[in-house]
């Protein structure tokens, strides 16, 4: 049997990259699928197989591949210059668009990634409050900054005691973890006990309104109100991580006054497919970044490629092509996807469920309900989920390895029906051949 071109590419990669890998999230046994090009909602691998893509580069490509105005903007900017040492008007234009769309974005600052956005939001909170401790939810992913690289895939917190943060993997500084507090998502009473015990050191609580790793379960209105009131009373900051969930609507994830966060980290869709992140929020807090501060106590944040004009131009084009009506249409399609996925489980007679909001969904094989990180943790270890994702890929539909899917604007009801049909086929084949 001849080796696939993906397999050959992997063998080649093994020689020059540890584990053949440069993005841990791409690691896959026996080898990952190497992709070569995309068009609309479809992507093609090196072996010429064409897939309906619900990965969209980890939810980033909200317009799929080759959106004409994004491609034109990149071409135009590439002709003008790829990057400069000075600022460009392109960054002001994208900043204006974002500040105009989200009422609690008073000022904004760009970064190269979502991880960096979370990092500088945390640094801003520390500079503003003069405190170091950061609370994050058990099971939540916030990227690659040490203090939040704790308790992402570890077993869920048990009991009511104050938990010791666990570094997610080697390389995370133990000293950084001493500035981290782990709280259980949507559990007011246990969270209250944990944060009250360290209130005088608490700089900020970081929370994602729709945390994918916790299970793509929305923050409850009561929990959000509790966090907002506690942080206000305690002079700590409330930071939203909407790096992923900003795609939920024209103004990001739905949140009503008075529960607006003080700062918000965003990324992914706002770069039109190119590297980006941003932190936005209250002017008085964002002032910690102002190099003109009289007290010279500003938070230093720079970066060779920060606000590079290619990402700014692509982001502006992508976001301009997302009026309210387009978010509404995508969100209707998302609701349709979740309902057809639930029907597929029912019609095959395999237990499973789907979570998510807007244009995001996450499927689970096994549980009939997922309402907490404990539910998600148990289900994520069921090998049938992985098997369903692989079977769907064999049928030319791509989902992330955790069963997460993100819609893109070129998708229509036909694509959503195809997703559901493919899931049904994958579930039927799992039923007849479980291994
Ligand atoms: C909620 C959340 N925060 C932060 C990040 C990190 O963003 P990036 O991968 O751009 O560094 C991600 C990435 O998936 C994310 O989903």
């Amino acid at each position: 049997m001849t080796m696939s071109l993906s397999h050959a590419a992997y063998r080649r990669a093994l020689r020059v990259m540890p584990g053949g890998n440069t993005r841990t999230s791409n690691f896959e046994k026996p080898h990952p699928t190497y992709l070569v090009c995309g068009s609309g909602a479809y992507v093609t691998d090196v072996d010429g197989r064409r897939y309906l893509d619900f990965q969209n580069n980890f939810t980033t490509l909200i317009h799929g591949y080759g959106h004409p105005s994004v491609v034109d903007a990149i071409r135009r900017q590439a002709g003008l210059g790829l990057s400069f040492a000075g600022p460009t008007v392109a960054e002001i234009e994208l900043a204006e668009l974002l500040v105009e769309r989200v009422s609690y974005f008073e000022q904004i600052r760009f970064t190269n990634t979502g991880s960096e956005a979370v990092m500088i939001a945390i640094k801003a909170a520390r500079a503003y409050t003069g405190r170091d401790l950061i609370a994050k939810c058990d099971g939540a992913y916030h990227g690659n900054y040490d203090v939040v690289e704790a308790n992402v895939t570890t077993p869920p917190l048990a009991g009511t005691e104050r938990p010791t943060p666990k570094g997610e993997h080697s390389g995370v500084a133990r000293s950084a973890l001493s500035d981290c507090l782990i709280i259980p998502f949507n559990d007011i009473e246990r969270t209250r006990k944990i944060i009250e015990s360290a209130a005088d050191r608490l700089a900020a609580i970081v929370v994602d309104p729709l945390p994918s790793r916790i299970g793509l379960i929305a923050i409850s209105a009561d929990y959000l109100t509790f966090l907002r009131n506690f942080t206000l009373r305690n002079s700590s900051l409330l930071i939203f991580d909407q790096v992923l969930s900003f795609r939920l609507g024209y103004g990001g994830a739905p949140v009503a006054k008075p529960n607006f966060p003080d700062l918000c980290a965003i990324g992914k869709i706002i770069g039109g497919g190119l590297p980006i992140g941003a932190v936005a929020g209250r002017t008085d807090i964002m002032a910690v970044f102002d190099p003109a501060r009289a007290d010279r106590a500003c938070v230093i944040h720079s970066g060779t490629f920060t606000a590079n004009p290619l990402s700014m131009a692509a982001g502006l084009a992508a976001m301009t092509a997302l009026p309210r009506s387009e978010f509404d249409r995508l969100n209707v399609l998302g609701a349709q996807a979740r309902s057809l996925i639930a029907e597929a489980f029912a019609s095959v007679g395999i237990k499973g469920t789907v979570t998510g909001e807007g244009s995001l969904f996450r499927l689970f094989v096994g549980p009939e309900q997922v309402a907490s990180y404990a539910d998600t943790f148990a289900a994520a270890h069921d090998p049938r989920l992985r098997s369903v994702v692989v079977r769907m890929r064999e049928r030319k539909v791509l989902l992330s390895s955790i069963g997460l899917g993100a819609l893109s604007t070129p998708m229509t009801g036909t694509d959503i029906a195809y997703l559901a049909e493919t899931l049904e086929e994958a579930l039927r084949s799992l039923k007849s051949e479980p291994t």
Side-chain angles (χ1 to χ4, degrees), residues 250-290:
Y250 186 76
V255 52
K257 214 174 174 179
N259 285 338
F260 289 160
D262 300 302
L263 292 177
C264 183
I266 55 176
K268 295 197 191 265
I269 68 162
I270 65 158
L274 293 185
I276 201 158
V279 61
R282 276 170 40 195
T283 303
D284 61 325
I285 304 169
M286 294 295 288
V288 300
F289 294 111
D290 181 356

XYZ file of all heavy atoms in Angstrom, residues 250-290:
283
model
N -22.607 40.594 17.060
C -22.063 41.861 16.555
C -21.249 42.566 17.639
O -20.222 43.163 17.369
C -23.249 42.720 16.120
C -22.902 44.008 15.453
C -22.462 44.030 14.128
C -23.022 45.223 16.135
C -22.158 45.230 13.503
C -22.724 46.420 15.514
C -22.288 46.414 14.202
O -21.986 47.603 13.589
N -21.727 42.481 18.884
C -21.009 43.087 20.006
C -20.337 42.023 20.852
O -20.118 42.226 22.049
N -20.018 40.890 20.280
C -19.405 39.798 21.034
C -20.450 38.976 21.762
O -21.633 38.958 21.390
N -20.021 38.297 22.834
C -20.957 37.469 23.608
C -21.991 38.391 24.265
O -21.644 39.481 24.711
C -20.192 36.697 24.677
N -23.253 37.961 24.300
C -24.267 38.842 24.874
C -24.035 39.083 26.366
O -23.868 38.132 27.123
C -25.587 38.081 24.642
C -25.205 36.695 24.252
C -23.776 36.687 23.835
N -23.971 40.355 26.747
C -23.839 40.691 28.171
C -24.495 42.061 28.355
O -24.343 42.948 27.523
C -22.366 40.704 28.633
C -21.493 41.545 27.772
C -22.231 41.154 30.080
N -25.278 42.178 29.430
C -26.021 43.425 29.619
C -25.419 44.230 30.761
O -24.862 43.676 31.712
C -27.482 43.088 29.922
N -25.511 45.550 30.654
C -25.169 46.425 31.749
C -26.033 46.015 32.937
O -27.178 45.661 32.701
C -25.501 47.876 31.335
C -24.572 48.888 31.884
C -24.903 50.253 31.293
C -24.011 51.269 31.994
N -24.221 52.604 31.503
N -25.635 45.988 34.164
C -24.374 46.484 34.711
C -23.295 45.412 34.814
O -22.338 45.590 35.562
C -24.792 46.929 36.107
C -25.838 45.922 36.511
C -26.552 45.548 35.245
N -23.452 44.323 34.052
C -22.472 43.237 34.195
C -21.309 43.323 33.207
O -20.615 42.329 32.982
C -23.170 41.882 34.073
C -23.947 41.554 35.338
O -23.648 42.104 36.397
N -24.936 40.695 35.238
N -21.122 44.495 32.606
C -20.004 44.637 31.669
C -18.681 44.357 32.378
O -18.506 44.742 33.536
C -19.955 46.065 31.119
C -21.064 46.399 30.159
C -21.385 47.725 29.914
C -21.772 45.411 29.497
C -22.400 48.053 29.023
C -22.788 45.729 28.605
C -23.104 47.057 28.365
N -17.753 43.719 31.669
C -16.425 43.503 32.270
C -15.626 44.810 32.268
O -15.948 45.735 31.527
C -15.791 42.491 31.321
C -16.422 42.788 30.001
C -17.837 43.215 30.284
N -14.561 44.830 33.050
C -13.677 45.998 33.044
C -12.734 45.946 31.849
O -12.428 46.956 31.242
C -12.859 46.030 34.336
C -13.759 46.116 35.547
O -14.542 47.082 35.631
O -13.727 45.190 36.385
N -12.276 44.725 31.553
C -11.387 44.509 30.413
C -11.848 43.269 29.673
O -12.480 42.380 30.272
C -9.935 44.284 30.882
C -9.196 45.456 31.515
C -7.806 45.005 31.986
C -9.060 46.636 30.551
N -11.488 43.177 28.413
C -11.887 42.006 27.630
C -10.759 41.659 26.662
O -10.242 42.543 25.972
C -13.164 42.352 26.857
S -13.808 40.976 25.913
N -10.374 40.386 26.642
C -9.386 39.911 25.664
C -10.153 39.311 24.494
O -11.096 38.540 24.697
C -8.489 38.854 26.295
N -9.755 39.696 23.288
C -10.381 39.121 22.087
C -9.272 38.675 21.126
O -8.090 38.903 21.373
C -11.369 40.098 21.401
C -10.696 41.437 21.081
C -12.594 40.313 22.274
C -11.605 42.400 20.304
N -9.664 38.028 20.042
C -8.675 37.569 19.065
C -9.387 36.875 17.917
O -10.499 37.249 17.542
N -8.777 35.863 17.382
C -9.340 34.991 16.333
C -10.058 35.773 15.215
O -9.412 36.262 14.326
C -10.226 33.938 16.974
C -9.395 32.978 17.867
C -10.142 31.721 18.182
C -9.494 30.882 19.241
N -8.627 29.823 18.755
N -11.398 35.898 15.252
C -12.116 36.421 14.067
C -11.717 37.847 13.704
O -11.863 38.247 12.558
C -13.670 36.365 14.214
C -14.174 37.340 15.278
C -14.168 34.968 14.454
C -15.677 37.635 15.141
N -11.214 38.619 14.664
C -10.969 40.038 14.360
C -9.745 40.247 13.473
O -9.474 41.374 13.067
C -10.846 40.900 15.643
C -9.608 40.507 16.458
C -12.110 40.825 16.496
C -9.142 41.616 17.398
N -9.017 39.169 13.163
C -7.839 39.307 12.292
C -8.095 38.801 10.879
O -7.158 38.739 10.083
N -9.327 38.422 10.581
C -9.641 37.982 9.221
C -8.841 36.761 8.786
O -8.716 36.488 7.594
N -8.256 36.033 9.730
C -7.484 34.827 9.388
C -5.995 35.022 9.624
O -5.228 34.067 9.521
N -5.572 36.236 9.919
C -4.152 36.477 10.215
C -3.973 36.617 11.729
O -4.936 36.862 12.451
C -3.676 37.737 9.479
C -3.641 37.600 7.954
C -3.050 38.850 7.309
C -2.824 36.389 7.528
N -2.709 36.475 12.209
C -2.483 36.497 13.663
C -2.917 37.818 14.295
O -2.587 38.894 13.793
C -0.963 36.342 13.780
C -0.528 35.750 12.489
C -1.481 36.249 11.458
N -3.642 37.687 15.413
C -4.135 38.904 16.089
C -4.608 38.583 17.494
O -4.860 37.422 17.848
C -5.290 39.561 15.280
C -5.435 41.039 15.670
C -6.611 38.826 15.504
C -6.122 41.898 14.651
N -4.743 39.603 18.284
C -5.404 39.586 19.577
C -5.623 41.034 19.940
O -5.105 41.945 19.261
N -6.382 41.281 20.983
C -6.563 42.664 21.438
C -7.088 42.640 22.854
O -7.732 41.670 23.272
C -7.543 43.424 20.540
N -6.775 43.706 23.595
C -7.417 43.879 24.897
C -8.138 45.220 24.836
O -7.617 46.196 24.288
C -6.405 43.785 26.065
C -5.333 44.843 25.991
C -7.121 43.853 27.401
N -9.358 45.222 25.364
C -10.165 46.448 25.290
C -10.888 46.625 26.613
O -11.109 45.653 27.348
C -11.171 46.327 24.149
N -11.269 47.857 26.895
C -12.028 48.073 28.129
C -12.029 49.515 28.576
O -11.883 50.429 27.752
N -12.161 49.693 29.879
C -12.348 51.023 30.466
C -11.123 51.915 30.255
O -9.991 51.487 30.493
C -12.606 50.874 31.971
C -14.037 50.596 32.324
C -14.206 50.222 33.781
N -13.381 50.998 34.692
C -13.152 50.640 35.960
N -13.701 49.545 36.454
N -12.391 51.387 36.736
N -11.397 53.157 29.886
C -10.312 54.109 29.610
C -9.381 54.282 30.802
O -8.158 54.327 30.645
C -10.920 55.474 29.226
O -11.769 55.260 28.111
C -9.856 56.486 28.873
N -9.960 54.369 32.021
C -9.092 54.625 33.178
C -8.147 53.446 33.437
O -7.036 53.640 33.933
C -9.922 54.952 34.430
C -10.853 53.816 34.828
O -11.377 53.123 33.921
O -11.042 53.594 36.034
N -8.575 52.228 33.076
C -7.685 51.071 33.258
C -6.700 50.983 32.099
O -5.497 50.774 32.303
C -8.491 49.763 33.370
C -9.515 49.865 34.502
C -7.551 48.578 33.587
C -10.517 48.737 34.519
N -7.206 51.167 30.893
C -6.327 51.095 29.716
C -5.213 52.148 29.798
O -4.164 52.001 29.167
C -7.149 51.282 28.428
C -8.138 50.160 28.140
S -7.359 48.566 27.817
C -6.656 48.839 26.189
N -5.433 53.170 30.609
C -4.411 54.222 30.775
C -3.109 53.665 31.332
O -2.060 54.310 31.211
C -4.948 55.330 31.678
N -3.147 52.456 31.905
C -1.875 51.894 32.409
C -0.892 51.625 31.256
O 0.293 51.457 31.490
C -2.067 50.579 33.228
C -2.949 50.800 34.443
C -2.578 49.438 32.359
N -1.416 51.578 30.028
C -0.527 51.337 28.876
C 0.008 52.639 28.277
O 0.800 52.598 27.338
C -1.277 50.591 27.761
C -1.681 49.197 28.135
C -3.011 48.862 28.319
C -0.721 48.209 28.297
C -3.382 47.572 28.656
C -1.087 46.912 28.631
C -2.415 46.595 28.810
N -0.483 53.771 28.763
C -0.156 55.052 28.128
C 1.296 55.438 28.428
O 1.631 55.767 29.568
C -1.123 56.120 28.661
C -0.867 57.471 28.036
O 0.108 57.595 27.256
O -1.621 58.415 28.331
